[in-house]
Amino acid sequence: MSMGGNLRKVTSLGGVGGLRRVARLARRRPRVDLSHPARSPLGSSVVNCVTYRDGVRTPSSGDPADALELVRKRGDGFVWLGLHEPTDTEFAGIADLFGLHPLAVEDAVEAHQRPKLERYDDTLFAVFKTVCHVEHEELTATSEVVSTGELMVFVGHDFVVTVRHGRHGSLGPLREELEADPGQLAKGPSAVLHAVADHVVDDFLTTIDAVQADVDLVESDVFAENGARVDPDGSTSSNASFSS
């Protein structure tokens, strides 16, 4: 939203409530651009498949089998495969390719899992709950305030497979952040797992701040409707006068 648009909102809404609405709008996280689609244009669950060597993206066909073969042939680097809500059929070939445990595969496809970290032979399987604040122009009794999802991560010696459920939480921006820091990405698949966990926690903190802003906004509107004065610091005091 432009500055002019924000100013028009302040004028139309008025008072501290209007300023808080603008502050909340200004704090919105940047939207994920179209280079990070939830699903590929072809309808596949594969969002991205990239090989890395010494923390740097290397040329590959984008096919998971070719990527894994390339990494294992040269003996270093790893594959990062990103998936969004794969079906049983879509994930079956991936599971066979990377040697993923059937129990973890079932959890990754069906979702609705509790956060956990499990080890299956040489592969770690982590489940994270994700949250996102739902933006709205006006908060009502039926407004959806928080959207939830899940993120599963398989970590092996030379691969990372991320499986995302829900419309939010794209890992495209996180991948770009890691690629901008080759030294960190060169630490291998474990560095990706750490970054994903950090990303999920950051989203929780951002969502908490946004929900608190919504609560403050509702309090301002309620007290203002009841004749209370809303001070600049957010505190309220009654405008009512009493006589003996």
Side-chain angles (χ1 to χ4, degrees):
M1 178 177 290
S2 65
M3 179 63 73
N6 282 342
L7 290 175
R8 285 193 293 274
K9 269 195 169 293
V10 173
T11 302
S12 63
L13 295 173
V16 175
L19 290 174
R20 284 184 173 174
R21 285 184 176 88
V22 172
R24 176 169 55 82
L25 292 171
R27 282 207 308 271
R28 288 180 177 176
R29 300 185 71 180
R31 296 291 185 185
V32 176
D33 62 43
L34 295 180
S35 65
H36 304 299
R39 296 177 72 86
S40 78
L42 298 178
S44 167
S45 63
V46 176
V47 178
N48 212 338
C49 180
V50 180
T51 60
Y52 297 94
R53 187 179 191 181
D54 297 327
V56 178
R57 177 189 288 240
T58 60
S60 66
S61 66
D63 178 78
D66 291 344
L68 188 60
E69 180 182 6
L70 174 64
V71 166
R72 290 181 174 174
K73 181 179 294 185
R74 67 192 182 198
D76 62 357
F78 68 95
V79 180
W80 181 356
L81 172 63
L83 305 172
H84 179 255
E85 297 182 353
T87 64
D88 288 320
T89 302
E90 289 175 321
F91 203 42
I94 299 297
D96 289 340
L97 178 65
F98 290 94
L100 307 180
H101 195 280
L103 291 178
V105 169
E106 182 180 354
D107 288 348
V109 173
E110 294 184 359
H112 305 296
Q113 304 299 314
R114 295 178 179 178
K116 59 184 177 180
L117 177 64
E118 298 176 333
R119 177 183 290 277
Y120 294 96
D121 298 324
D122 295 329
T123 301
L124 289 178
F125 175 60
V127 177
F128 300 96
K129 288 290 187 180
T130 60
V131 295
C132 176
H133 178 253
V134 179
E135 300 291 353
H136 38 260
E137 296 298 327
E138 182 179 1
L139 188 63
T140 67
T142 59
S143 294
E144 181 184 13
V145 177
V146 176
S147 175
T148 62
E150 291 180 39
L151 180 60
M152 289 78 167
V153 186
F154 295 87
V155 180
H157 173 69
D158 53 9
F159 67 85
V160 177
V161 178
T162 52
V163 183
R164 187 166 54 86
H165 290 268
R167 298 300 301 175
H168 65 275
S170 169
L171 295 178
L174 176 63
R175 186 189 290 267
E176 291 182 353
E177 290 178 13
L178 283 171
E179 289 180 352
D181 186 3
Q184 181 67 11
L185 197 54
K187 296 176 182 178
S190 60
V192 177
L193 177 60
H194 176 271
V196 168
D198 189 59
H199 174 75
V200 169
V201 172
D202 283 347
D203 279 350
F204 267 90
L205 296 177
T206 300
T207 300
I208 290 171
D209 288 343
V211 171
Q212 183 60 55
D214 283 342
V215 172
D216 292 343
L217 181 60
V218 170
E219 288 180 346
S220 297
D221 289 343
V222 169
F223 283 115
E225 289 173 0
N226 286 278
R229 184 180 74 250
V230 182
D231 296 325
D233 63 358
S235 60
T236 60
S237 57
S238 175
N239 290 329
S241 59
F242 300 91
S243 57
S244 56

